[in-house]
Amino acid sequence: MASKTVAKDIITLRGSAAIVSEFFGYAANSILHNRGVYPEESFAKVKKYGLPMLLTQDEGVKAFLANLTSQLSEWLESGKLQRIVLVIMSKATGEVLERWNFSIETDGEVVEKGVSRGKSDKEIMREIQAIMRQIASSITYLPCLDEPCLFDVLAYTDADVAVPFTWTESDPKLIANPQMVKLHSFDTKIHKVNTLVSYKNDEDEEEQ
């Protein structure tokens, strides 16, 4: 009996960078919607990754995320991006309430030698779906954000990267003694993205 082989799609460095940067754009939209950073009515429903997704219609946020994903794609292609963090802060105090951490492992051989890798698009999509479902259900495992919030994005790159003038140096915006939830990861065979959300632990304050 002949064994069945799963067809692999050829993934190039540029193609992988495009998958990861696009994923971050949709993930950021989903986080901003599900965590109530922007009002429900400012999002429109689309279909992506075989799932109903929501995209911001706020022109300022759209422009910010478009510029961001374009820059991330460039850094991913050069193998210089280590991590992206979406930070949610209190609008009134600036206190960091949540950090959505996307750490990136890059196949150095692909960057150096320009080789390709094989993995089916369907398999990658299934892995991304799992993360998007966890983001969509975040309201069930994260504390309620019951105050107006802002967001920012931090990018951790290699030291030798030329940083555009639109980016500024920032502190890491850490949370003291955070609670953490590890989410699923996805892997294009060139870039692996591990996802973790950390959040402010209010229980310690209540016990004092």
Side-chain angles (χ1 to χ4, degrees):
M1 183 178 171
S3 61
K4 186 181 178 183
T5 57
V6 178
K8 302 282 186 187
D9 295 294
I10 301 301
I11 308 287
T12 63
L13 178 59
R14 176 169 288 183
S16 178
I19 290 168
V20 175
S21 58
E22 183 181 59
F23 157 80
F24 184 74
Y26 279 92
N29 269 279
S30 187
I31 292 164
L32 296 176
H33 172 262
N34 284 288
R35 303 307 292 141
V37 178
Y38 292 94
E40 177 87 30
E41 60 271 17
S42 67
F43 291 83
K45 193 172 282 190
V46 297
K47 188 157 188 181
K48 183 69 178 176
Y49 309 120
L51 298 169
M53 301 290 295
L54 288 141
L55 292 181
T56 181
Q57 299 305 294
D58 181 293
E59 292 302 328
V61 181
K62 276 168 74 173
F64 175 85
L65 291 176
N67 290 334
L68 173 68
T69 53
S70 174
Q71 181 60 64
L72 295 181
S73 195
E74 190 179 308
W75 283 333
L76 286 159
E77 278 190 53
S78 62
K80 303 287 188 180
L81 185 63
Q82 301 163 3
R83 192 186 319 162
I84 316 159
V85 183
L86 189 150
V87 182
I88 298 177
M89 302 164 286
S90 162
K91 193 172 186 176
T93 66
E95 182 184 16
V96 177
L97 305 175
E98 287 178 12
R99 294 177 94 253
W100 292 79
N101 187 79
F102 301 87
S103 61
I104 296 151
E105 299 168 27
T106 305
D107 184 329
E109 186 186 12
V110 174
V111 177
E112 288 170 25
K113 300 181 180 177
V115 295
S116 301
R117 294 284 185 249
K119 184 167 182 174
S120 76
D121 287 342
K122 281 186 178 177
E123 200 177 342
I124 295 170
M125 189 172 81
R126 275 198 301 271
E127 292 173 5
I128 292 176
Q129 276 178 346
I131 301 171
M132 292 304 186
R133 286 193 175 105
Q134 286 181 310
I135 294 173
S137 65
S138 59
I139 194 165
T140 63
Y141 57 83
L142 294 176
C144 180
L145 298 177
D146 52 6
E147 60 179 302
C149 294
L150 300 167
F151 84 99
D152 200 0
V153 175
L154 311 177
Y156 292 74
T157 62
D158 291 0
D160 60 349
V161 163
V163 178
F165 71 92
T166 49
W167 289 72
T168 56
E169 285 289 330
S170 168
D171 67 272
K173 300 189 187 300
L174 299 174
I175 300 170
N177 304 312
Q179 295 276 59
M180 296 186 188
V181 178
K182 191 175 187 303
L183 307 187
H184 288 296
S185 61
F186 83 92
D187 190 353
T188 68
K189 294 295 188 189
I190 295 175
H191 297 103
K192 182 176 182 183
V193 180
N194 297 298
T195 314
L196 175 83
V197 58
S198 53
Y199 58 94
K200 187 171 174 284
N201 184 4
D202 287 326
E203 290 174 10
D204 290 347
E205 295 179 6
E206 290 167 8
E207 288 168 5
Q208 290 172 3

